[in-house]
Amino acid sequence: MRRARAALAPWATGRTLVVLLAITLYAVGAPVSAAVHGVAAELALVAVLLQCGGLVTALWRAELGAAAALLGVVLVAVGADPDRGPWPWTVPSLLTFALVLGVLGARRLFRTAVTAWLGSLLVTIVVAWVLNNSDADVVNLVVYTSNSALVLGAGCAIGARRRVREELARSRRDTELEQARRVVVEERNRIARELHDVVAHSMSVIGVQATTAQYRIPDLSPQARAEFDDIAAQSRTAMAEMRTLLGVLRNSADGAELAPRAGLEGLSDLAEGARRAGSTVSLHVADTLQRRAVPSAVGVVVHRIVQEGLSNVVRHATGAAVLVDVAVRVGVDGPVLLVEVRNGPVPVTDGTAPVVPADSGGHGLVGVRERATLLGGAVEAGPTEDGGFSLRVALPWEGGA
């Protein structure tokens, strides 16, 4: 919306300026046409009104405005005395119609502008040849042709510049949208790969347990053995289907993605890595979570959220103190798993703050929101009052408070 308003602001200003010029030209042109060039007062009022009205009309209706302005020029030429000043183009008529050509050029109606200019030259030659046919008319035609061509060229240059700016802005918007769309798709693909690994591990365990049950559990009945065999077969089928659906998300460059995913147990390694980078990290994980078996999908999401929060601190707030808190809180709709990464302001040493590295893209929060949305959670991120930054993610927790 802001970009649209910014793009319309110059055009609105230009329209206002054209209307003011039209009013000024009417106030000057009518008296000059009557007093200096001998046009009848009534005819001068009508003819100049057509010229100035055509100038304003050209802002919205190009052909109609140009035709009205040219008709007004012809009426002034017919009613004026050829021996009293410039003829057939009086100074007010020349200025007004030249502005009409400039407006058409600025509106990027290049064909209409050139047609109107050539039409005005043809009308001038016809009127001068029929009514006067003197050498002075040739000089007047040359003056009009050169001045109007100059204004027409300036208007076309303004219109071409506007077209280039609009195309650049449109291209920039398309690029930004495509980049944001690509970031979301890449992050969703990465999440899908991680979920594939988590589910594949669980399904493999189920298949192995079902297959080996008859050897581990003595005195199984034939019905139970058949049931375990069916579970093993179903797990293998599910694994095959899942690999078929998600196999396209893998390629040879994703070999590192096959490594086991870290969960809550890997948070201490993340904190230690941030400490080595120069930050003071305090890590708190609720005893409730340490005692319970956290689902693998939830553990991966929490791990990635903390990883992104600490990475942002290392990149943008080097040396700042960081608090990582993973706890279970009681919310309105039940227990909530709350993950918070909050850092303080960048420390200042000897009056100079550390140099902050350049931003690496700023797309990490997109992945955090995608992961939180995957589990039905919510994300809050923003600066704190003390000059730091806070990342808070609330995830529904079925494990109990």
Side-chain angles (χ1 to χ4, degrees), residues 154-176:
C156 291
I158 294 173
R161 183 173 180 270
R162 284 183 57 218
R163 170 180 290 177
V164 171
R165 290 183 61 184
E166 290 177 2
E167 290 178 352
L168 288 176
R170 190 181 305 112
S171 176
R172 190 180 300 112
R173 283 196 305 270
D174 294 342
T175 301
E176 291 175 355

Side-chain angles (χ1 to χ4, degrees), residues 64-195:
L64 180 61
L70 187 58
L71 177 60
V73 171
V74 172
L75 292 178
V76 170
V78 171
D81 184 358
D83 298 327
R84 296 176 63 177
W87 188 91
W89 285 94
T90 65
V91 174
S93 297
L94 189 152
L95 291 176
T96 304
F97 198 79
L99 285 175
V100 171
L101 297 177
V103 168
L104 297 181
R107 288 188 58 194
R108 295 172 294 179
L109 302 173
F110 305 129
R111 182 177 300 177
T112 303
V114 173
T115 302
W117 183 65
L118 294 176
S120 66
L121 294 180
L122 179 61
V123 169
T124 301
I125 294 173
V126 172
V127 170
W129 180 67
V130 171
L131 297 182
N132 195 26
N133 193 20
S134 68
D135 294 338
D137 303 340
V138 177
V139 175
N140 184 261
L141 177 62
V142 171
V143 171
Y144 165 72
T145 303
S146 58
N147 284 275
S148 60
L150 182 63
V151 177
L152 174 61
C156 291
I158 294 173
R161 183 173 180 270
R162 284 183 57 218
R163 170 180 290 177
V164 171
R165 290 183 61 184
E166 290 177 2
E167 290 178 352
L168 288 176
R170 190 181 305 112
S171 176
R172 190 180 300 112
R173 283 196 305 270
D174 294 342
T175 301
E176 291 175 355
L177 290 175
E178 182 61 28
Q179 184 178 11
R181 203 176 295 117
R182 186 172 62 252
V183 169
V184 171
V185 171
E186 290 175 354
E187 191 60 36
R188 287 181 177 176
N189 288 346
R190 183 179 177 185
I191 293 172
R193 290 194 296 267
E194 292 177 348
L195 289 179

Side-chain angles (χ1 to χ4, degrees), residues 376-388:
V379 178
E380 293 180 2
T384 58
E385 295 181 355
D386 61 355

Side-chain angles (χ1 to χ4, degrees), residues 308-353:
E308 178 59 32
L310 292 177
S311 298
N312 285 336
V313 173
V314 172
R315 285 196 300 264
H316 307 296
T318 305
V322 188
L323 172 63
V324 179
D325 188 22
V326 182
V328 179
R329 299 285 186 262
V330 178
V332 177
D333 298 327
V336 174
L337 177 58
L338 183 63
V339 183
E340 182 175 10
V341 182
R342 184 175 70 252
N343 65 272
V346 180
V348 178
T349 304
D350 298 331
T352 304

Side-chain angles (χ1 to χ4, degrees), residues 1-6:
M1 184 62 70
R2 290 180 180 178
R3 291 178 178 177
R5 292 177 180 174

